[in-house]
Amino acid sequence: MLASYNLLKRFVDLDGISPESAADKLTFAGLEVEGIEHLASGTNLVIGQILSVENHPNSDHLHVLKVDEGEKFGVHQIVCGAPNVRVGLKVIVARNGAKLDALGVTIKPSVIRGVESDGMCCSLVELGVNKMFLKEEQINGIEELSEDAPVGEENVLGYLNLDDTILDINVLANRSDALAIFSLAKELGALFERKVNIPQPTKFEEVPSSVTVGSETEDCKQFSIKVVRGVKTKPSPKWLQSFLMAQGIRSINNIVDIGNYIMILTGQPIHMYDMDKCQSSSFIVKKGYNSSLVALDQKEYKVDENDIVVTNNNEIVCLAGIMGCESVAVDENSVNIGIESANFKGATVRRTTVKTGLSSDSSAHFIKGINPYQDEFVLDLTASLLKELADAQVIETSSRYNEIGTNNIQISCSKSYINKRLGTSFDLDLIKSILEKLFIKVVTINDDEFIAFPPDHRIDLRCDADLSEEIIRYVGFGAIKSILPMMPTTTGGYSLAQKKKNKVRDFLLNNGVNEALTYTLINPKNVPSFVLLNNDEPYVIMNPMTIDHSVVRKGIVYSLLEAVKFNLDHQQKDLAFFEISEVITKENDYQELAIILSGKRSIRGEINKVDYNFFDAHGILCEILNILGIEPSRYKEERLIDSCYYHPGRSVKLIVNGKDVAGVCGEIHPNYQKEYGPCYVVNLNLDLLFAMKTPSTKMNQISKFPAVTRDLSLVVSTDVLVGDIIKTIKKTGRNIVQKVDVFDVYQGEHLGQGLKSIAVSITYQDSSKTLKDDEINEVEQNLIALLAKTYKAELRK
């Protein structure tokens, strides 16, 4: 933000305080001044009057002037090339020794093409005034002063209202109040303990309002209009033009300039309507329009149901908080105007500016936040200036819609809290004194506690922590003693859940699976896709940037599949991705793991590759469970047959705690393979797995007795799961059956309809003795009998 030092001095006593001192105070108080510039600069200047103009004898464009520089300096000869020189013109003269910082020169007596020149007639550009504020004739020629300019006046910059210093302040997001000159004046008054004088608007006799106002949206809880009649459009006075120039705003006319000036002073954007162009006396703030409008920049913009608009006779007359419509714009012929002061929701204004690409100083103020309690003051101040500078004839009362009410914010705090938080030992009287200097009213309850009432303009003060920060930024951080706090020595490290997550991540990375990071926000239509671990309601973003990033996802499988699709579209075919991310819904918050395998797995580089299959994904799942210390007896796997996202014959779900679905493993459904290709997924709820109690690792001595391996080929129904057969064999022969491996599964015409052959290799071993054939035969016969009874299994011949 740019702040005119001369404008600040109008409202706070800064006598004897340099702009540099003020900048230092503001910076150390949290309002960093990033630069200090002068509106114009130049030394040894004087106002002169041209007495004669002669053509230069050796040039076709130079002139030789006789310039009267007043009684003190007399008449001097100056060679000048400006096209607008003439006898009687009063000009700015840079005398010998003058330093013009904008040009980087010091004026000295010189001879120009054989003619002596003693000084220089200046344009405002040569004094450092930005060209954007000047007319073309001012840029191309020397500055023409008014006829009443006093010849011999040495304070030229002061006479022209250009002796101003500009502070470039970096206003942080929480200090939107500092966008107003009045608030900055209060800040400087507190820091230097100087008197602050915020003027109260002159009250004139008012007639009843001829307009009605209202709002039909929660995004506008305050909307007011005051009508002023009989105004005259004309140039603004020099003082107003100079102040606007210092703030980086070009003067247009008195009506427009007053609106900009009010926003500079109060931080409240105002908008003006030509009442004679309005079709109705009723102004209503609404949402829900799907239409278009032509703004003041003469460009057409589309609005939708999420944009706030001001309507008159059901026609849009303003894109609320951003820019008005050309159809009701105030121009040089306007006589009766309506002044709008409103409070529009910043988030909605921001969304509209992003969508339309249309931004303004007004929208910037609404986005950052404005004082919601000053609409009457702002309207009265604007009307007062219109009366003074635009000859307003009739002023109506303000028509107001206000659901905000008055400022009733109270903050309970205590001396002990502030000193504990800051590491200080301030007494209550000092704390009260500091807060009251910052315009915060304080009511003490006892020797420790008090209640603070923030001023209207400080919308950032909402809790006791804010008060402590106000105190320390006022007194300075030097008040904090440099003493290290007493802290117990503790051993740092990862939590158990973090250690487990790191183990899983390291395992996947070490086995060639690449970690990915995908967007948390997705399109609403994709929210349920591949989500089997919860059935929760997702969070919806109130003001999304786009519809594709408007809902918080309930799972991460879909996002990873989209990453696979992106890579496939770019000819990257062999992919192995995983992502560990927090899944947040309205009911749950947990860590989720998703793994996607697509394409081929490398056996020996590019020489030998094989397609990924279900067993690759299932192997990763089993190894993760093994790493986490979860034994097979603690979980079970069930075939997943009721999902439209996974292949019914090549997918399983992981069940823990008897009923909780902790994961899914399998091939995606053929319907989705058209889009993503064959992909194999592992999807786990890590929080469920991490919470499972796992036994300590036990070490068993390797048996010194030999193992015996025997094979069984069983014919069973195709509905029988291989996993169930393996569990039955292990459970029945748990004393001596050490391992069961499947080495063949066959289905074909030799077996008959609905049957399959399963060949398993069973390893028998006893840790205390060598097994005899009779013992093994007995166990084997029992196994065959139990399998026949349980699964109707028959030995294949």
Side-chain angles (χ1 to χ4, degrees):
M1 175 196 172
L2 303 179
S4 162
Y5 198 65
N6 283 351
L7 187 56
L8 285 169
K9 289 195 292 186
R10 278 195 163 199
F11 310 114
V12 60
D13 178 15
L14 294 176
D15 288 346
I17 299 173
S18 68
E20 290 73 19
S21 298
D24 287 342
K25 276 283 190 181
L26 287 173
T27 297
F28 285 105
L31 296 173
E32 182 184 2
V33 179
E34 296 182 324
I36 301 176
E37 298 180 358
H38 297 285
L39 185 58
S41 63
T43 62
N44 214 11
L45 303 177
V46 68
I47 294 178
Q49 185 173 25
I50 299 176
L51 302 178
S52 67
V53 179
E54 297 180 2
N55 292 330
H56 194 290
N58 300 318
S59 173
D60 59 357
H61 70 281
L62 295 176
H63 302 90
V64 180
L65 314 179
K66 294 293 185 181
V67 182
D68 179 10
E69 299 177 6
E71 184 178 345
K72 181 177 179 181
F73 302 113
V75 177
H76 292 261
Q77 177 174 288
I78 297 175
V79 176
C80 180
N84 61 327
V85 295
R86 63 181 183 273
V87 175
L89 179 64
K90 292 184 178 180
V91 296
I92 304 169
V93 179
R95 301 183 65 253
N96 291 328
K99 293 183 178 180
L100 303 180
D101 295 332
L103 302 178
V105 299
T106 300
I107 303 301
K108 298 177 182 178
S110 60
V111 177
I112 300 176
R113 295 194 180 186
V115 177
E116 292 183 356
S117 180
D118 189 17
M120 174 180 172
C121 294
C122 300
S123 69
L124 292 184
V125 174
E126 291 161 335
L127 298 183
V129 177
N130 194 314
K131 291 182 180 180
M132 69 175 287
F133 303 118
L134 304 176
K135 300 175 183 177
E136 186 174 355
E137 56 267 26
Q138 290 179 293
I139 298 172
N140 296 328
I142 59 176
E143 183 66 13
E144 299 184 12
L145 303 182
S146 62
E147 293 182 1
D148 60 354
V151 175
E153 173 62 52
E154 295 181 69
N155 184 16
V156 177
L157 298 181
Y159 173 77
L160 297 174
N161 290 312
L162 296 176
D163 59 336
D164 201 354
T165 302
I166 303 167
L167 306 181
D168 186 359
I169 305 173
N170 179 20
V171 178
L172 300 179
N174 67 314
R175 287 300 307 274
S176 59
D177 63 288
L179 295 172
I181 289 293
F182 284 166
S183 296
L184 279 179
K186 292 177 180 178
E187 189 80 11
L188 288 169
L191 295 174
F192 287 102
E193 299 185 18
R194 294 293 186 93
K195 183 179 179 181
V196 178
N197 178 31
I198 304 300
Q200 293 300 311
T202 303
K203 293 292 289 186
F204 299 96
E205 183 179 351
E206 296 180 336
V207 300
S209 178
S210 61
V211 300
T212 58
V213 298
S215 173
E216 296 178 2
T217 170
E218 287 294 310
D219 290 351
C220 177
K221 293 188 176 182
Q222 182 268 309
F223 184 78
S224 304
I225 286 183
K226 178 184 281 291
V227 176
V228 178
R229 301 186 180 277
V231 300
K232 295 180 181 178
T233 304
K234 54 187 176 180
S236 296
K238 288 291 185 182
W239 65 265
L240 180 53
Q241 294 184 34
S242 298
F243 285 144
L244 292 177
M245 191 186 302
Q247 298 291 145
I249 300 174
R250 183 175 180 176
S251 175
I252 305 298
N253 57 50
N254 57 340
I255 306 299
V256 176
D257 291 353
I258 287 171
N260 288 327
Y261 184 59
I262 291 296
M263 184 171 68
I264 291 168
L265 293 182
T266 65
Q268 170 68 56
I270 67 170
H271 182 64
M272 296 186 182
Y273 302 94
D274 187 327
M275 295 303 296
D276 296 323
K277 297 178 182 178
C278 295
Q279 300 178 18
S280 166
S281 61
S282 176
F283 292 83
I284 306 295
V285 182
K286 298 181 180 181
K287 290 176 71 175
Y289 273 69
N290 280 289
S291 182
S292 61
L293 58 85
V294 178
L296 292 175
D297 60 0
Q298 298 182 337
K299 295 181 181 179
E300 184 174 344
Y301 298 93
K302 291 185 177 181
V303 297
D304 60 34
E305 63 275 3
N306 296 313
D307 299 319
I308 317 172
V309 295
V310 181
T311 64
N312 179 261
N313 195 30
N314 282 323
E315 294 292 328
I316 299 175
V317 293
C318 181
L319 187 55
I322 302 176
M323 192 173 289
C325 294
E326 187 182 30
S327 60
V328 293
V330 173
D331 56 33
E332 64 275 5
N333 299 315
S334 297
V335 176
N336 305 312
I337 62 175
I339 312 162
E340 170 199 293
S341 174
N343 191 347
F344 302 113
K345 187 175 181 179
T348 307
V349 173
R350 180 181 179 275
R351 192 197 69 83
T352 302
T353 61
V354 171
K355 183 197 68 175
T356 60
L358 177 62
S359 62
S360 62
D361 289 337
S362 295
S363 64
H365 280 69
F366 283 118
I367 290 169
K368 292 178 180 178
I370 63 171
N371 178 356
Y373 309 108
Q374 62 174 350
D375 62 305
E376 282 193 284
F377 171 79
V378 168
L379 292 176
D380 289 342
L381 185 60
T382 307
S384 176
L385 285 173
L386 287 171
K387 183 79 172 177
E388 177 186 348
L389 304 179
D391 304 325
Q393 300 299 308
V394 178
I395 299 175
E396 298 183 3
T397 58
S398 300
S399 180
R400 302 179 68 212
Y401 169 85
N402 191 348
E403 289 191 354
I404 295 177
T406 58
N407 182 5
N408 55 7
I409 296 173
Q410 302 180 20
I411 302 174
S412 298
C413 194
S414 67
K415 174 187 71 175
S416 57
Y417 167 80
I418 287 175
N419 285 324
K420 181 179 180 180
R421 189 166 193 263
L422 299 178
T424 55
S425 55
F426 299 141
D427 59 45
L428 186 57
D429 290 338
L430 177 61
I431 291 172
K432 181 178 179 181
S433 172
I434 293 171
L435 293 178
E436 288 179 343
K437 288 176 183 176
L438 292 167
F439 300 89
I440 302 170
K441 182 182 176 182
V442 177
V443 175
T444 56
I445 298 176
N446 51 44
D447 292 340
D448 184 45
E449 298 175 305
F450 61 90
I451 297 175
F453 300 83
D456 292 350
H457 68 283
R458 291 302 302 274
I459 61 175
D460 59 309
L461 301 181
R462 291 297 179 265
C463 65
D464 48 6
D466 295 331
L467 297 180
S468 67
E469 291 167 8
E470 286 297 292
I471 291 169
I472 199 60
R473 77 178 185 86
Y474 180 87
V475 300
F477 288 94
I480 301 176
K481 297 180 181 179
S482 300
I483 301 175
L484 291 175
M486 296 297 294
M487 298 178 64
T489 301
T490 58
T491 303
Y494 292 114
S495 66
L496 182 59
Q498 289 173 323
K499 289 178 180 178
K500 290 180 177 180
K501 184 168 70 173
N502 288 339
K503 281 183 178 181
V504 172
R505 176 181 280 114
D506 291 343
F507 161 71
L508 293 171
L509 291 172
N510 292 338
N511 283 274
V513 186
N514 298 304
E515 185 166 12
L517 182 64
T518 58
Y519 284 115
T520 302
L521 303 178
I522 61 175
N523 192 299
K525 67 180 182 181
N526 299 320
V527 169
S529 298
F530 293 92
V531 177
L532 271 70
L533 301 187
N534 69 74
N535 191 30
D536 302 338
E537 184 179 354
Y539 283 106
V540 179
I541 305 302
M542 294 178 63
N543 293 288
M545 299 287 283
T546 66
I547 190 66
D548 288 333
H549 299 92
S550 61
V551 179
V552 180
R553 64 187 179 185
K554 299 198 304 177
I556 57 181
V557 173
Y558 170 77
S559 300
L560 270 187
L561 284 171
E562 285 295 300
V564 168
K565 179 183 176 184
F566 179 84
N567 280 271
L568 292 176
D569 291 343
H570 290 77
Q571 307 304 313
Q572 302 297 318
K573 297 182 178 179
D574 299 329
L575 308 169
F577 291 151
F578 81 92
E579 181 176 5
I580 299 175
S581 179
E582 190 173 19
V583 171
I584 302 174
T585 66
K586 291 186 177 181
E587 290 82 11
N588 287 300
D589 180 353
Y590 63 91
Q591 292 283 327
E592 185 172 307
L593 166 68
I595 305 168
I596 306 287
L597 305 178
S598 174
K600 295 180 179 292
R601 174 169 59 91
S602 175
I603 304 299
R604 282 194 302 153
E606 296 296 320
I607 297 174
N608 187 8
K609 286 186 173 183
V610 297
D611 290 333
Y612 281 115
N613 57 42
F614 169 82
F615 296 103
D616 292 314
H618 191 261
I620 291 175
L621 169 63
C622 292
E623 189 56 32
I624 289 174
L625 295 173
N626 182 50
I627 289 171
L628 297 177
I630 302 174
E631 297 179 350
S633 60
R634 300 292 306 281
Y635 64 86
K636 65 177 180 178
E637 294 175 288
E638 295 182 357
R639 181 176 293 180
L640 183 59
I641 58 175
D642 55 353
S643 171
C644 63
Y645 300 112
Y646 290 94
H647 194 297
R650 301 173 187 171
S651 303
V652 296
K653 54 185 176 182
L654 182 71
I655 309 296
V656 299
N657 304 325
K659 61 181 186 335
D660 297 327
V661 178
V664 177
C665 175
E667 182 180 347
I668 66 173
H669 199 282
N671 292 341
Y672 290 94
Q673 292 186 22
K674 300 174 185 177
E675 184 175 2
Y676 302 110
C679 291
Y680 298 89
V681 176
V682 177
N683 187 203
L684 299 174
N685 182 331
L686 293 181
D687 283 6
L688 266 179
L689 299 180
F690 292 166
M692 294 180 67
K693 294 182 179 180
T694 55
S696 302
T697 304
K698 296 180 179 179
M699 307 298 292
N700 293 322
Q701 185 177 0
I702 298 175
S703 177
K704 58 184 178 180
F705 300 101
V708 177
T709 301
R710 291 188 179 182
D711 298 338
L712 288 178
S713 182
L714 304 169
V715 177
V716 296
S717 171
T718 53
D719 296 333
V720 176
L721 301 180
V722 175
D724 292 340
I725 292 177
I726 293 174
K727 286 183 179 179
T728 301
I729 294 174
K730 287 184 175 180
K731 184 177 181 180
T732 304
R734 74 173 54 174
N735 293 330
I736 62 172
V737 174
Q738 300 297 322
K739 187 169 61 170
V740 181
D741 295 316
V742 178
F743 63 87
D744 184 49
V745 177
Y746 171 75
Q747 284 181 261
E749 58 186 46
H750 301 292
L751 292 179
Q753 187 70 23
L755 297 176
K756 63 180 176 182
S757 171
I758 301 172
V760 295
S761 176
I762 305 174
T763 301
Y764 301 92
Q765 188 179 34
D766 195 318
S767 60
S768 61
K769 63 181 180 179
T770 300
L771 289 173
K772 297 179 180 180
D773 286 344
D774 293 342
E775 295 174 305
I776 297 174
N777 291 338
E778 183 181 354
V779 172
E780 187 175 69
Q781 290 303 317
N782 291 336
L783 285 175
I784 294 172
L786 182 60
L787 292 173
K789 180 180 179 181
T790 306
Y791 304 108
K792 298 181 180 180
E794 298 179 359
L795 289 179
R796 185 178 179 187
K797 299 178 181 179

